[in-house]
Amino acid sequence: RIAAELIDGATGFSRWSESFDRPIDDVLKVQSEIAAAVQAALVATLAAGSGAQSSAGAGAQGGEPQGTRTGDGAPRTPGGTNDVAAFDAYLRGRSLFDQADGEAGERAALAQFDAAIARDAKFAAARAARARSLTVIANQYLPASETRAMYAEALREAEAAVALAPEFAGAHSTLAFTRFQGHLDVAGAREPYERSRELGPGDATVMGRYALYCALTARADAARAAMAPAVDLDPLNPLIHRAAGTVHYAARDYASVESPVRQALTLNAKLAGAHAILGNARLMLGRAQDARAEFLLERHDLVRLPGLAIVEHRLGNAPAARTAFDELVRTIGDRALYQPAQVRAQWGEADAALAVLERAHAAGDSGLIYLRTDPLLDPLRTRPEFQRLLARLGFD
């Protein structure tokens, strides 16, 4: 039983209400029915207020709402499915993915997306979600020898999602995401990102991904313009708030990082990477002790250990810095070469840092998407080798 009510925001009085009693197997059908009924009530209310006549809501009560499905029963909304079990698995996967709670959680999300696709191979939203999961797992948890194959699989899934639903903003956003993060194709990611923004201005995750791309390609104004509506659209999503903090950090507005990232941690205290963003911002503000405290709270070794290696060195604790760096190399190995380059740059070892970045480029290390704006690499920024690497990656 679902109760829907339309309330006048100015007076607090109810203008319309309706109760929907349906079998649970019809959950997708009833979602469409409720949407059509609410639309009809809004149209009638607005028309009454203006004195206009409208028949847009005629026939919306009861039966299959007009305008919600195509003649063959396929969902009108791009990227969707009519299979309840597939949709349920997709939602479970999205929930696990959004928690960003380590490799086990990421792989559990992937398993749910696999289950959704097994039920409905034409479910474009699930195909896109699977592509994002594969990209994140390859990015953060696989050795270099295994990443290229998984990135290639992710790209195929993203392309399949676009082919299945050309008007689905999430598919274009995911195609751009896999090109950018998985294949370091800075230029090739721009067109699908722009297309996703055109198709999905009301989708917080689409706008958030677009904002991050703009931020990391040094288009700070465009990043802020896209991030603001994303936060308004989904204020309870910790990933959106973490992304807002990243946008500020990339723009070197370090003082503004704290508020959105703290909000992200309020919503999800276990959110990976959040404490590291705070640590980096505080480091840039000259608050090394506060930065150290944040890095110690970080759960993800990939960003915790380089942060500690840098901040301990900044504080003059050479043995502790070396211990953190050695642990990073031992535990991460060739899964991440970008982070050791950050440490070397901050330690004043420019030649060694540049050599590691070249190895990262040869390995397709996805950390290189941060190269254009990363303040930790500023000691290298004027070197010709660094400028050539930026050009090879396609950064303006």
Side-chain angles (χ1 to χ4, degrees):
R1 173 172 294 177
I2 300 170
E5 186 173 14
L6 179 63
I7 297 173
D8 188 319
T11 66
F13 291 117
S14 176
R15 303 294 295 271
W16 167 87
S17 65
E18 186 165 342
S19 180
F20 299 81
D21 292 282
R22 303 289 187 276
I24 192 64
D25 290 346
D26 288 341
V27 64
L28 298 182
K29 179 179 177 181
V30 77
Q31 284 183 18
S32 297
E33 188 174 347
I34 292 169
V38 170
Q39 179 187 22
L42 280 168
V43 168
T45 299
L46 294 172
S50 65
Q53 298 295 318
S54 173
S55 61
Q61 306 299 321
E64 186 75 1
Q66 294 184 353
T68 60
R69 291 179 185 271
T70 60
D72 61 2
R76 182 182 178 89
T77 302
T81 182
N82 289 329
D83 189 302
V84 173
F87 190 58
D88 184 67
Y90 167 74
L91 291 179
R92 292 176 187 276
R94 281 290 300 270
S95 177
L96 289 164
F97 183 85
D98 287 350
Q99 291 174 34
D101 192 23
E103 183 176 5
E106 301 288 4
R107 291 191 178 277
L110 178 62
Q112 291 294 332
F113 298 138
D114 286 339
I117 294 165
R119 294 279 311 189
D120 182 357
K122 295 183 178 181
F123 188 1
R127 301 290 291 266
R130 184 172 190 269
R132 294 192 296 273
S133 273
L134 291 168
T135 301
V136 169
I137 291 169
N139 181 333
Q140 298 189 18
Y141 305 109
L142 291 190
S145 59
E146 299 178 20
T147 57
R148 292 187 187 278
M150 187 167 282
Y151 283 143
E153 185 178 356
L155 185 60
R156 288 193 295 271
E157 285 286 356
E159 290 171 341
V162 171
L164 286 166
E167 299 301 308
F168 176 40
H172 292 276
S173 179
T174 299
L175 177 60
F177 177 78
T178 57
R179 285 181 179 176
F180 186 45
Q181 294 215 7
H183 295 265
L184 301 177
D185 187 358
V186 179
R190 182 156 186 172
E191 188 279 329
Y193 265 131
E194 294 291 348
R195 182 62 175 150
S196 74
R197 179 183 60 84
E198 294 169 3
L199 291 169
D203 187 320
T205 56
V206 165
M207 296 301 289
R209 284 188 215 110
Y210 176 77
L212 285 174
Y213 174 75
C214 292
L216 296 179
T217 53
R219 294 190 291 147
D221 290 344
R224 284 189 287 264
M227 199 72 247
V231 173
D232 289 340
L233 286 162
D234 198 358
L236 300 182
N237 187 337
L239 296 182
I240 294 294
H241 292 285
R242 186 183 67 180
T246 302
V247 166
H248 289 306
Y249 182 76
R252 307 199 174 204
D253 181 8
Y254 306 122
S256 298
V257 171
E258 182 94 9
S259 178
V261 179
R262 285 290 172 210
Q263 181 62 22
L265 286 167
T266 298
L267 294 166
N268 180 2
K270 297 180 179 181
L271 186 63
H275 285 291
I277 296 171
L278 291 172
N280 284 328
R282 291 178 172 189
L283 189 67
M284 294 299 111
L285 290 168
R287 299 163 54 189
Q289 288 287 2
D290 291 340
R292 182 179 182 273
E294 291 298 334
F295 288 127
L296 288 171
L297 291 171
E298 178 58 53
R299 303 172 70 246
H300 196 351
D301 286 347
L302 187 62
V303 285
R304 177 178 65 87
L305 293 171
L308 286 173
I310 291 168
V311 76
E312 295 289 9
H313 185 271
R314 184 78 60 90
L315 290 168
N317 302 327
R322 174 55 65 177
T323 296
F325 183 75
D326 290 345
E327 186 180 353
L328 173 69
V329 173
R330 183 178 66 255
T331 59
I332 303 300
D334 68 351
R335 283 198 289 126
L337 295 167
Y338 183 81
Q339 286 75 14
Q342 290 177 307
V343 175
R344 295 287 191 188
Q346 287 294 304
W347 283 6
E349 301 173 5
D351 290 340
L354 287 164
V356 176
L357 287 175
E358 286 295 336
R359 290 174 54 206
H361 183 247
D365 191 319
S366 63
L368 291 168
I369 64 172
Y370 298 98
L371 196 72
R372 177 67 177 80
T373 60
D374 189 352
L376 295 175
L377 297 181
D378 280 357
L380 314 177
R381 208 160 288 281
T382 59
R383 291 282 293 263
E385 305 97 308
F386 189 86
Q387 293 298 317
R388 287 195 293 270
L389 182 55
L390 282 174
R392 275 184 280 161
L393 288 167
F395 285 107
D396 295 333

